[in-house]
């Protein structure tokens, strides 16, 4: 899937991955969170090679937060339990501590009144925000967002983007795969255009969106404009 | 229609006398009913054991990687064997065979071996039901759980199994019904008093089949409500799936 790419990330940096379907954005994010095995190369977090032998993958995953396109909330648990499961079982917090943390995060993002609801009673936007809170509850060093608004009705997209904006403003290091070009332009420190498993082009958003160098980048952005999404 | 045809046939009086004899029914029912308690007892002992053993087998089967191959293999051999051998054979084998060996330190109560045979047999079927349930839990659920840093065990325990078990409640309840009926198989082991055996004894002593009908009715008393419950649960599941589903 991924044919060879290098990506360096600095603390507090927000990198947006754009590109056509199948270009490898999701795969890249999943690889970083050690959800997909890599055939060659290495992934290092804070200087530590996490793809080396003998690394405790579960431990690594605790410090990397990922949110998927399809929310993936646990349907048999309330919102609160969805959020406290990781902290209590993987981080060893007590129930009370975990619930405090959850309540705090839910409050910050306007979801406090939903804490005892089951996911199927929430709107798509609410579910996705809960999914983000669930990842944040683990207090990760880096957040990976995999096209988190692509499955949402348009009117629900904004509430989720605002949450992400807040995170970025708070200094969270993030890699965001997205089709929302306007949003990417706003929020990214750097934009990478992926195509067929490689990073074809990368650079600051102003340059990528207004003066892309590669022809395929130009074609992709053109199709996005034509689709009315930028 | 069949009932009407039978009722109209020439032999109806004879049939009624042999199978639907009210006097026989009234006289034998109390004794059979009291023995039916044993059937229910067998069921209440066997069912939790089956649910537990089957869960163990299903989990063993799902362990990935070469390290766990022996456990997987054991589970496969076990389920293949006990799904392949008729339950009645296992009941007979253990119920007659083991007590007759006269081994020291081993319980000789044939009822014990009969129930154990049911447990061993049914666990094989139920573990397959669990496995099917586990397989319907979408891999994205596992991905979400692992991404939080949960171990494979934790993902299984908190995310996969709760969902899997909820989904297979209807087929599990069907197995409950089957088990309740199969407690009658223990009658094949002589000297274990339960409803079918009791009915058999009456039938042989009084040359009348009505006691068997009485036994059948007692079984129906339990199995029919259970079956209706399964139907209701299935209907509710279907309604939910069509009504809700954001995922």
């Amino acid at each position: 899937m991924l044919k060879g790419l290098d990506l360096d990330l600095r603390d507090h940096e927000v990198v947006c991955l754009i590109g056509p379907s199948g270009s490898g954005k999701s795969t890249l994010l999943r690889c970083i969170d050690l959800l997909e095995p890599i055939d060659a190369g290495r992934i290092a977090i804070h200087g530590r090679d996490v793809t080396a032998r003998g690394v405790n993958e579960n431990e690594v995953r605790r410090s990397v937060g990922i949110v998927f396109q399809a929310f993936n909330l646990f349907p048999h648990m309330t919102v609160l339990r969805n959020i406290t499961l990781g902290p209590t079982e993987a981080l060893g917090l007590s129930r009370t501590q975990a619930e405090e943390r959850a309540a705090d995060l839910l409050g910050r993002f306007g979801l406090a009144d939903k804490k005892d609801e089951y996911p199927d009673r929430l709107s798509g936007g609410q579910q996705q925000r809960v999914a983000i809170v669930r990842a944040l509850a683990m207090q990760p060093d880096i957040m990976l967002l995999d096209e988190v608004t692509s499955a949402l009705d348009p009117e629900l997209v904004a509430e989720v983007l605002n949450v992400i904006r807040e995170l970025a403003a708070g200094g969270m290091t993030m890699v965001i795969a997205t089709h929302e070009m306007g949003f990417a332009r706003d929020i990214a420190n750097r934009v990478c255009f992926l195509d067929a498993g490689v990073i074809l082009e990368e650079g600051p958003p102003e340059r990528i969106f207004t003066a892309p160098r590669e022809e395929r980048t130009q074609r992709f952005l053109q199709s996005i404009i034509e689709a009315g999404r930028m | 229609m069949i009932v009407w045809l039978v009722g109209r046939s020439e032999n109806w009086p004879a049939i009624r006398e042999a199978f639907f004899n009210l006097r026989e029914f009234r006289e034998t029912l109390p004794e059979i009913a009291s023995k039916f308690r044993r059937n229910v007892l067998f069921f209440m002992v066997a069912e939790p054991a089956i649910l537990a053993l089957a869960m163990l087998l299903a989990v063993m089967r799902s362990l990935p990687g070469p390290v766990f191959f022996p456990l997987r293999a054991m589970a496969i051999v076990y389920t293949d064997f006990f799904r392949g051998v008729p339950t009645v054979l296992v009941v007979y084998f253990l119920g007659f065979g083991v007590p007759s060996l006269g081994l020291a330190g081993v319980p000789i109560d044939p009822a014990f071996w009969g129930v154990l045979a049911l447990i061993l047999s049914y666990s094989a079927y139920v573990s397959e039901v669990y496995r099917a349930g586990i397989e319907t839990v979408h891999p994205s659920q596992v991905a979400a759980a692992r991404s939080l840093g949960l171990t494979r065990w934790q993902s299984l325990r908190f995310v996969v199994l709760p969902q899997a078990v909820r989904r297979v409640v209807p087929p599990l309840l069907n197995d409950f019904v089957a088990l309740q009926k199969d407690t009658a198989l223990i009658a094949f082991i002589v000297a274990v008093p339960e409803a079918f055996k009791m009915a058999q004894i009456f039938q042989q002593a009084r040359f009348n089949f009505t006691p068997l009908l009485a036994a059948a009715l007692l079984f129906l008393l339990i199995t029919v409500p259970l079956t209706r419950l399964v139907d209701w649960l299935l209907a509710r599941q279907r309604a939910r799936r069509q009504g809700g589903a954001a995922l």
Side-chain angles (χ1 to χ4, degrees):
Chain A
M1 240 264 115
L2 295 173
K3 299 282 190 303
L5 53 81
D6 295 311
L7 185 64
D8 283 312
L9 208 59
R10 281 184 298 280
D11 276 346
H12 312 304
E13 194 179 7
V14 175
V15 172
C16 281
L17 305 176
I18 63 173
S21 296
S23 55
K25 309 192 293 294
S26 290
T27 312
L28 175 59
L29 292 178
R30 292 171 72 98
C31 285
I32 298 175
D33 200 19
L34 304 181
L35 291 173
E36 301 270 353
I38 59 174
D39 297 312
R42 57 190 270 279
I43 302 173
I45 300 183
H46 285 152
R48 177 180 163 222
D49 185 349
V50 296
T51 47
R53 285 170 158 278
V55 167
N56 184 336
E57 293 188 347
N58 298 316
E59 200 200 311
V60 173
R61 286 196 206 100
R62 284 170 213 155
S63 60
V64 176
I66 187 168
V67 183
F68 305 94
Q69 185 172 339
F71 336 136
N72 294 348
L73 295 180
F74 307 130
H76 60 296
M77 296 179 180
T78 60
V79 162
L80 186 65
R81 188 58 182 135
N82 257 277
I83 298 170
T84 60
L85 183 69
T88 51
E89 303 306 322
L91 296 178
L93 293 185
S94 75
R95 268 297 183 116
T96 359
Q97 286 174 311
E99 286 182 5
E100 264 173 38
R101 192 185 281 189
D104 174 61
L105 283 167
L106 286 171
R108 262 173 64 194
F109 296 112
L111 293 161
D113 58 336
K114 299 282 178 223
K115 71 175 172 63
D116 293 316
E117 296 276 17
Y118 283 90
D120 62 354
R121 293 191 144 278
L122 270 50
S123 75
Q126 291 166 332
Q127 288 189 45
Q128 195 60 296
R129 286 188 286 150
V130 170
I132 295 176
V133 167
R134 182 174 68 174
L136 288 175
M138 299 296 287
Q139 296 186 334
D141 296 323
I142 168 175
M143 281 285 275
L144 308 172
L145 303 173
D146 188 3
E147 300 203 25
V148 297
T149 54
S150 296
L152 296 177
D153 290 334
E155 68 269 18
L156 302 173
V157 167
E159 68 194 57
V160 176
L161 294 182
N162 285 333
V163 166
I164 305 174
R165 265 186 248 271
E166 236 189 270
L167 288 179
M172 176 65 78
T173 315
M174 297 198 278
V175 183
I176 307 173
T178 185
H179 283 311
E180 300 286 338
M181 300 302 159
F183 175 72
R185 206 167 172 168
D186 254 356
I187 195 181
N189 298 119
R190 217 187 338 150
V191 171
C192 296
F193 174 70
L194 264 82
D195 191 33
V198 297
I199 296 181
L200 209 60
E201 204 174 338
E202 72 178 282
E206 318 86 57
R207 186 180 67 67
I208 296 282
F209 286 116
T210 54
R213 289 184 198 134
E214 296 287 329
E215 198 226 321
R216 266 186 280 175
T217 320
Q218 294 167 12
R219 266 192 287 148
F220 174 73
L221 291 175
Q222 186 58 38
S223 66
I224 296 283
I225 295 171
E226 276 169 22
R229 299 189 76 157
M230 189 162 94
Chain B
M1 167 110 170
I2 294 177
V3 172
W4 182 79
L5 274 174
V6 168
R8 284 308 215 87
S9 77
E10 280 179 354
N11 297 315
W12 171 243
I15 295 172
R16 195 181 57 198
E17 183 65 30
F19 286 90
F20 300 104
N21 189 316
L22 201 56
R23 196 193 71 234
E24 290 289 320
F25 187 83
R26 264 207 298 264
E27 283 174 19
T28 59
L29 184 64
E31 191 67 43
I32 298 176
S34 81
K35 292 296 182 294
F36 187 66
R37 282 193 346 245
R38 296 218 79 200
N39 291 79
V40 178
L41 177 70
F42 293 156
F43 172 79
M44 309 237 76
V45 168
E47 190 59 56
I50 291 169
L51 291 174
L53 179 56
M55 177 66 84
L56 178 66
L57 287 166
V59 171
M60 274 169 68
R61 234 10 233 264
S62 72
L63 294 173
V67 159
F68 290 116
F69 177 71
L71 285 178
R72 276 204 305 280
M74 279 200 289
I76 293 176
V77 167
Y78 180 100
T79 45
D80 278 355
F81 180 78
F82 282 105
R83 279 169 70 198
V85 175
T87 308
V88 69
L89 224 158
V90 181
V91 169
Y92 210 81
F93 190 85
L94 288 180
F96 269 128
V98 176
S100 73
L101 287 175
L103 298 171
V106 148
I108 57 163
D109 180 8
F112 170 85
W113 292 104
V115 171
L116 185 66
L118 286 179
I119 292 173
L120 293 176
S121 259
Y122 267 76
S123 297
Y125 296 104
V126 176
S127 82
E128 289 299 290
V129 174
Y130 280 146
R131 261 203 342 139
I134 290 173
E135 247 140 69
T136 64
V137 178
H138 203 274
S140 62
Q141 287 287 300
V142 179
R146 302 306 305 279
S147 77
L148 292 172
L150 295 172
T151 64
R152 231 188 289 270
W153 285 112
Q154 289 172 323
S155 307
L156 198 63
R157 181 179 154 202
F158 292 104
V159 174
V160 177
L161 287 178
Q163 292 186 60
V165 171
R166 272 174 183 73
R167 281 170 202 224
V168 296
V169 165
L172 279 183
L173 284 180
N174 277 334
D175 279 331
F176 278 36
V177 172
L179 179 69
Q180 178 63 84
K181 296 187 309 179
D182 277 352
T183 56
L185 290 175
I186 298 188
F188 276 93
I189 315 170
V190 191
V192 178
E194 51 78 62
F196 176 43
K197 180 96 277 174
M198 202 67 234
Q200 251 186 347
I201 293 171
F202 276 130
Q203 174 250 322
Q204 284 156 358
R206 302 158 79 113
F207 303 102
N208 193 291
F209 291 98
T210 310
L212 294 170
L213 196 74
L217 262 150
L218 287 167
F219 277 100
L220 284 174
L221 224 63
I222 292 206
T223 58
V224 171
L226 260 177
T227 318
R228 287 285 82 77
L229 176 65
V230 174
D231 286 347
W232 178 77
L233 277 173
L234 272 171
R236 203 174 69 157
Q237 248 184 17
R238 225 174 293 132
R240 229 189 238 153
R241 208 163 291 155
Q242 283 160 359
L247 283 170

